[in-house]
Amino acid sequence: MSDDGHGRLLVVRCQLGEREAFHELVHLWHDPLWRYVKGMVGSPDTADDLAQEAWVAVVRGLPRLRQPERFAAWLFTIARRTVTDHLRQTYRTPPTTTDVETEADGDDSDAGVLTALEIQAGLGGLPPLEREVLLLFHIQDLPLAACADVLGVPPGTVKSRLHRARRMLRDVLVERGYEA
């Protein structure tokens, strides 16, 4: 999923109006986009809605994207704005129901899944800025410069947020009884 020559070509083909190219682009990027959004909002249903909103914004903005090689950073910037708008609206409107969702995805005997669930639980205990930088850098595997672009901060700020976020995640996991 790196911004290689194929990725740039795919974006240009989309800009030229090739429907099949857009389907390929969505196929390539939907899962990482959805995982990022879900990591920020917690709810799979809300993540579905927000990911769809983000794709609508991509369709509208893609013709104006001047640097196809920066598609990943551009996509996650759109997703970030979509999530931010949703969170603002959520905080303005008092909740009428409790949205507590528990998911049992996969077999609990699988140690890899259990570790992922532990980390996901820890991420949920972090403030949004720290959670976001960990999701972008470690889960979405974006390079430091792309994270800086998405977050709109210098790379040095990303580094310091990553350091603080890792420490906070470790503390949250230890507090919940997981090994450090």
Side-chain angles (χ1 to χ4, degrees):
M1 272 184 287
S2 65
D3 288 329
D4 58 4
H6 173 72
R8 284 190 300 272
L9 180 60
L10 195 55
V11 170
V12 170
R13 287 176 50 212
C14 290
Q15 290 175 321
L16 294 172
E18 288 186 35
R19 285 181 184 248
E20 184 58 37
F22 186 73
H23 290 294
E24 287 179 48
L25 194 68
V26 170
H27 180 75
L28 184 65
W29 285 102
H30 183 73
D31 287 344
L33 172 73
W34 187 87
R35 282 191 305 271
Y36 165 74
V37 172
K38 176 165 180 311
M40 292 303 295
V41 298
S43 164
D45 293 332
T46 303
D48 288 342
D49 293 342
L50 295 177
Q52 186 173 8
E53 264 184 59
W55 282 114
V56 168
V58 166
V59 168
R60 289 182 180 147
L62 198 56
R64 294 184 305 276
L65 179 62
R66 298 282 181 236
Q67 297 173 308
E69 67 276 3
R70 295 191 61 234
F71 177 79
W74 181 74
L75 174 66
F76 284 105
T77 299
I78 289 172
R80 181 175 196 249
R81 287 184 187 138
T82 303
V83 167
T84 301
D85 290 346
H86 168 76
L87 293 176
R88 277 190 197 122
Q89 184 65 25
T90 300
Y91 290 134
R92 274 190 217 136
T93 310
T96 55
T97 60
T98 307
D99 277 340
V100 177
E101 296 187 24
T102 57
E103 290 189 2
D105 290 336
D107 183 10
D108 287 343
S109 66
D110 185 358
V113 172
L114 186 59
T115 301
L117 290 174
E118 291 171 359
I119 291 172
Q120 184 177 7
L123 285 172
L126 296 180
L129 285 177
E130 286 74 15
R131 182 175 353 140
E132 182 174 44
V133 75
L134 286 174
L135 285 168
L136 290 171
F137 188 77
H138 289 292
I139 307 299
Q140 298 306 327
D141 227 9
L142 290 181
L144 198 64
C147 291
D149 283 346
V150 170
L151 298 173
V153 298
T157 302
V158 173
K159 287 180 185 179
S160 64
R161 283 187 189 173
L162 275 170
H163 178 73
R164 182 176 62 244
R166 288 176 187 134
R167 188 171 18 96
M168 290 174 80
L169 179 60
R170 186 190 71 232
D171 293 347
V172 166
L173 292 173
V174 167
E175 183 179 297
R176 293 181 180 187
Y178 301 116
E179 295 294 319

